[in-house]
Amino acid sequence: MRRSSLLLLLFILTIPAYSQTLVSDNSNAEMVGKFDHTAEIAIIPEPVSLVKTEGHFVLPANVVIHSAAIPELKQVVSFLQERLSIPTGSFVSNISDIKGPATIKLILNDKVNAAIGNEGYTLIITPSLITIKANKAAGLFYGAQSLIQLFPKEIEAKELVENVEWAAPCVEVTDYPRVGWRGLMFDCARHFFTKSEVKQYINAMVRYKYNLLHWHLTDDEGWRIEIKGMPKLTEVGAWNVKKVGEFGIFSTPDADEPRTYGGFYTQEDIKEIVQYAKDRFVDILPEVDVPGHSLAIIASYPELSCTEGAENYRVRSGERIMDWSKGAPPIALIDNTLCPANERVYGFLDTVITQVAQLFPFEYIHMGGDEAPINFWQKSDAIKALMKSENLKDMHQVQGYFEKRVQKIVESKGKKFMGWDEILNGDMPPSAAVMSWRGVKNGVDASKKKHEVVMSPSTYAYLDYMQADPITEPKVYASLRLSKSYEFDPIPYGSDAKYIKGGQANLWTEQVYNIRQAEYMTWPRGFAISESLWSPLEKKNWKTFFPKVEQHFKRLDIAETKYAPSVYDPIFSASRSADKQLMIELSSEVEGLDIYYSFDNSFPDRFYPKYTEKLTPPKDAIMLKVITYKGKDPVGRIMNMPIEELNRRAGRR
Ligand code: ACM
């Protein structure tokens, strides 16, 4: 045995191995999870090609994984060991002797299979053997993810589950992604999420073959990265006053209120998370959002502002600091920008970017650039002098000057520069990569100008938006239902596909206070985005996708990952009849649901009136309560809709 194989075996033996007898002990017990041979296969994202073949494979008590003893495969093997042993009780070992008997073979192709690229795989399940082949370890990992989804849902459990027949249908799968950049953005600036919560988020995303975590690390509400030599960023910038309610209109904290809410990642924490992600084939794109969204920086180092009095600024807790009534860019009520006319700003950014570049191996650094207000710059003598000396005509050019200087700094550290699509206003060179968020048009245009583009349009991919009616969802300024996010096409019509790197969904967390809510906002829309990024366009079909979503709801229940059931919530439309009566129409984005309702304040169930046509509320009714059922099962939540609210939506009587 080669030394590396010996090490691998030692490693395996340290993984908790569950007693084989647990499985055989159960053999006489009634199977509660008997393998359903007629069950539909429900892999998300949908594979490129899947052919069901005869029979099924039953996981034995002793599972032997064959794999070459190379370091890249270690994580794939340990992933399978963990997932196949803990819920099943099987003993899962790994050997690199490819001649002996095997249950699962992980094979790196000797001769590259060009059709499947770096992340694709083939998966063949026969009654006696599972074979996953790929060109690279990442492909084997994604093959393993698909394999897990073929086992009964209880495979998602974090503990032993008894009385399940651990069978998977025989299949032949060939699969590879449509785009290479398949990301989720996680905003850990608005609310701080612990190291283990970030890992939990990564763990959930890789099940759906995401390969990139865009980590939003700085904003008005918090600075989250330890930067050596800049201690105030984390002593001051990482902390605010906890407020709950409706973000954006919180009362301004008193000067002496304790600033104890927040946190930051030490450089050691970051290295640990980067490694954790890498082990799961996830790259991390760090974002430092400047020159706007920089109040946490200014509160720490007020000398980086153009504005007098910045020493009185504090890290934001969610009080009103912008006036959005005139659209973008917003009018800042306090100056949350770094000063493009201040040389110290570029020195500061050099220090930050140097350390960020060292901490994150990914080839890009995202430097923000969105929503930078200009009203304080317009009043600033320093900006006026800069405009004169640099011949800058307007504030777009002022921001463009800033972005170009920041791009130079990023590139001087050996990294590529990326920014939100506002950076295009500043006439950036094509070497600046663009993340398109204000719809798809900016991304389409940027691709035509030969900028690399990542599509993350708010219209399809903003996970902070409400998933159903504001009457049930935490209030945010916009909505995005699951069916709409499923329409996301990362390579939109008119774009130059050569420059589209891929796409991602963005979870901003102004209104997301904890990891359970982060999960609620991410799933199931994260399924829709993953299928949009991975599966061929012609394989996408809402009618076949939604039944899979329902299967995955059950999987997430078992995995104890939260998701939103909002897709079952009916859609309310309020209008007026010719004689000005309120008319209420209820519809659903999902077929086959029944909606039951009451106007008498009691809780409807399936023995209540079923919605069949537009409703007119009884004269003095104050509340419409509804619930959706699928057959005999309630699937939606009780929704309480005040008649007053419907009257408001229908417009004047
Ligand atoms: C953004 O949503 N402001 C990029």
Side-chain angles (χ1 to χ4, degrees):
M1 188 180 277
R2 297 215 320 258
R3 190 174 139 73
S4 53
S5 310
L6 187 63
L7 284 175
L8 205 57
L9 189 64
L10 282 173
F11 166 74
I12 292 154
L13 292 175
T14 61
I15 290 192
Y18 291 81
S19 161
Q20 297 164 51
T21 55
L22 282 169
V23 167
S24 45
D25 281 354
N26 292 334
S27 56
N28 292 332
E30 194 193 345
M31 291 278 184
V32 288
K34 193 126 182 59
F35 182 64
D36 178 358
H37 297 262
T38 62
E40 287 299 321
I41 288 171
I43 297 178
I44 298 179
E46 185 64 26
V48 172
S49 150
L50 183 148
V51 178
K52 208 165 161 180
T53 53
E54 223 13 70
H56 63 279
F57 166 96
V58 179
L59 195 75
N62 258 311
V63 176
V64 181
I65 300 176
H66 276 189
S67 67
I70 56 173
E72 298 98 284
L73 295 198
K74 195 175 121 183
Q75 295 305 328
V76 184
V77 169
S78 62
F79 167 80
L80 278 173
Q81 285 184 306
E82 183 181 320
R83 297 299 304 280
L84 292 178
S85 68
I86 292 176
T88 68
S90 287
F91 180 78
V92 185
S93 58
N94 173 225
I95 56 170
S96 56
D97 167 14
I98 53 166
K99 295 206 181 62
T103 322
I104 301 175
K105 287 188 176 177
L106 301 178
I107 299 172
L108 277 179
N109 294 324
D110 283 339
K111 190 166 162 298
V112 169
N113 174 353
I116 62 173
N118 287 342
E119 295 182 295
Y121 63 91
T122 57
L123 163 65
I124 297 180
I125 304 182
T126 69
S128 56
L129 181 67
I130 293 169
T131 310
I132 309 177
K133 289 188 184 175
N135 297 326
K136 294 268 162 66
L140 295 178
F141 187 65
Y142 297 128
Q145 296 296 343
S146 293
L147 171 64
I148 293 296
Q149 293 190 21
L150 288 166
F151 279 105
K153 60 184 183 309
E154 291 80 4
I155 201 84
E156 309 292 344
K158 293 177 185 147
E159 65 279 306
L160 182 71
V161 188
E162 305 201 39
N163 299 331
V164 173
E165 188 182 3
W166 297 105
C170 291
V171 288
E172 291 180 8
V173 180
T174 300
D175 200 13
Y176 49 87
R178 182 168 176 220
V179 296
W181 183 299
R182 299 182 307 279
L184 288 178
M185 190 211 76
F186 191 15
D187 170 4
C188 293
R190 267 48 182 274
H191 288 280
F192 178 69
F193 292 83
T194 64
K195 200 166 54 172
S196 80
E197 289 168 339
V198 176
K199 289 181 183 174
Q200 187 175 326
Y201 200 75
I202 292 171
N203 254 328
M205 65 190 261
V206 297
R207 289 162 184 252
Y208 298 100
K209 304 189 176 81
Y210 283 101
N211 65 358
L212 183 121
L213 179 76
H214 170 173
W215 205 3
H216 185 76
L217 285 163
T218 75
D219 216 301
D220 296 318
E221 296 76 12
W223 177 278
R224 306 291 176 213
I225 338 166
E226 177 193 19
I227 298 293
K228 311 265 193 219
M230 294 280 167
K232 286 200 204 150
L233 285 173
T234 43
E235 283 166 17
V236 175
W239 307 98
N240 63 10
V241 177
K242 183 166 185 187
K243 298 263 178 182
V244 290
E246 194 180 328
F247 181 93
I249 55 168
F250 294 150
S251 54
T252 304
D254 296 334
D256 57 355
E257 265 186 88
R259 299 192 150 260
T260 52
Y261 183 64
F264 64 93
Y265 308 101
T266 65
Q267 297 206 347
E268 288 311 305
D269 290 339
I270 288 181
K271 286 180 201 157
E272 187 182 322
I273 290 176
V274 165
Q275 186 60 43
Y276 188 88
K278 182 167 179 284
D279 288 345
R280 287 153 186 79
F281 302 93
V282 169
D283 287 316
I284 300 192
L285 169 74
E287 182 187 352
V288 175
D289 197 354
V290 290
H293 290 274
S294 292
L295 194 57
I297 305 173
I298 303 292
S300 310
Y301 295 102
E303 63 273 23
L304 302 178
S305 170
C306 292
T307 299
E308 272 177 39
E311 56 283 357
N312 299 321
Y313 288 171
R314 298 284 174 270
V315 179
R316 186 186 185 210
S317 293
E319 62 275 21
R320 187 162 176 263
I321 61 166
M322 296 286 159
D323 174 0
W324 283 97
S325 61
K326 309 263 177 335
I331 297 165
L333 307 177
I334 61 171
D335 186 5
N336 70 337
T337 64
L338 297 185
C339 185
N342 183 345
E343 277 310 306
R344 276 186 292 192
V345 164
Y346 302 103
F348 164 78
L349 288 174
D350 194 290
T351 303
V352 170
I353 294 168
T354 302
Q355 295 182 37
V356 168
Q358 282 161 0
L359 286 168
F360 293 93
F362 192 50
E363 60 183 318
Y364 294 83
I365 298 180
H366 194 308
M367 294 303 302
D370 59 319
E371 300 178 321
I374 55 174
N375 52 305
F376 281 94
W377 293 355
Q378 283 166 327
K379 289 187 296 200
S380 158
D381 289 340
I383 295 285
K384 285 180 196 154
L386 178 77
M387 291 176 79
K388 203 154 168 216
S389 67
E390 297 294 328
N391 197 21
L392 307 173
K393 305 235 163 347
D394 57 21
M395 291 302 146
H396 284 323
Q397 292 193 358
V398 170
Q399 184 169 347
Y401 167 86
F402 173 87
E403 302 294 352
K404 283 178 211 143
R405 287 201 58 180
V406 176
Q407 179 175 7
K408 279 215 176 75
I409 300 172
V410 168
E411 289 176 351
S412 75
K413 315 300 169 201
K415 300 287 182 178
K416 292 189 188 170
F417 172 94
M418 181 175 278
W420 296 110
D421 58 42
E422 284 96 328
I423 63 168
L424 291 168
N425 297 334
D427 196 22
M428 296 298 280
S431 52
V434 173
M435 193 168 269
S436 179
W437 73 278
R438 295 175 301 166
V440 296
K441 185 173 179 309
N442 290 306
V444 169
D445 292 349
S447 75
K448 289 202 251 186
K449 291 185 190 149
K450 304 189 182 342
H451 291 272
E452 288 185 321
V453 174
V454 173
M455 298 299 299
S456 63
S458 57
T459 32
Y460 300 100
Y462 262 37
L463 300 178
D464 57 324
Y465 285 8
M466 293 179 291
Q467 304 180 68
D469 200 285
I471 220 76
T472 43
E473 300 293 329
K475 198 155 159 242
V476 182
Y477 60 93
S479 295
L480 174 66
R481 281 188 170 262
L482 175 64
S483 48
K484 176 81 175 171
S485 61
Y486 192 64
E487 290 169 21
F488 177 44
D489 182 355
I491 311 177
Y493 178 76
S495 62
D496 186 339
K498 214 169 47 249
Y499 293 97
I500 306 274
K501 295 192 69 65
Q504 65 179 48
N506 297 337
L507 179 61
W508 301 103
T509 60
E510 288 97 324
Q511 303 276 25
V512 178
Y513 292 80
N514 60 60
I515 187 69
R516 295 296 286 171
Q517 185 66 6
E519 291 174 346
Y520 175 96
M521 298 305 281
T522 304
W523 315 110
R525 289 179 297 189
F527 302 159
I529 302 295
S530 98
E531 193 148 302
S532 303
L533 297 171
W534 180 283
S535 307
L537 206 50
E538 62 278 11
K539 282 270 170 169
K540 280 182 70 186
N541 179 342
W542 169 254
K543 285 203 162 63
T544 49
F545 172 69
F546 189 68
K548 294 194 299 178
V549 169
E550 292 190 293
Q551 294 303 316
H552 281 256
F553 280 167
K554 294 181 194 156
R555 287 180 173 263
L556 294 195
D557 280 336
I558 294 170
E560 299 181 317
T561 302
K562 198 164 183 171
Y563 58 86
S566 319
V567 64
Y568 294 121
D569 286 353
I571 300 163
F572 293 81
S573 306
S575 60
R576 299 241 172 251
S577 63
D579 61 354
K580 302 283 185 222
Q581 282 285 327
L582 174 63
M583 307 289 291
I584 308 164
E585 191 175 356
L586 302 176
S587 57
S588 168
E589 63 181 321
V590 178
E591 281 178 11
L593 300 183
D594 296 320
I595 306 171
Y596 297 91
Y597 66 92
S598 79
F599 281 112
D600 61 9
N601 306 326
S602 66
F603 298 101
D605 58 22
R606 72 185 178 85
F607 301 96
Y608 273 61
K610 189 190 321 190
Y611 175 84
T612 53
E613 58 184 3
K614 281 186 189 174
L615 303 172
T616 305
K619 187 156 180 288
D620 295 320
I622 52 169
M623 191 68 78
L624 167 61
K625 286 182 188 265
V626 301
I627 185 163
T628 47
Y629 272 67
K630 195 167 192 180
K632 291 186 173 183
D633 298 322
V635 286
R637 302 167 283 196
I638 289 261
M639 293 177 75
N640 300 308
M641 175 62 84
I643 303 299
E644 192 50 47
E645 170 64 14
L646 291 168
N647 267 319
R648 195 189 60 73
R649 293 184 189 184
R652 296 188 75 78
R653 263 171 269 216

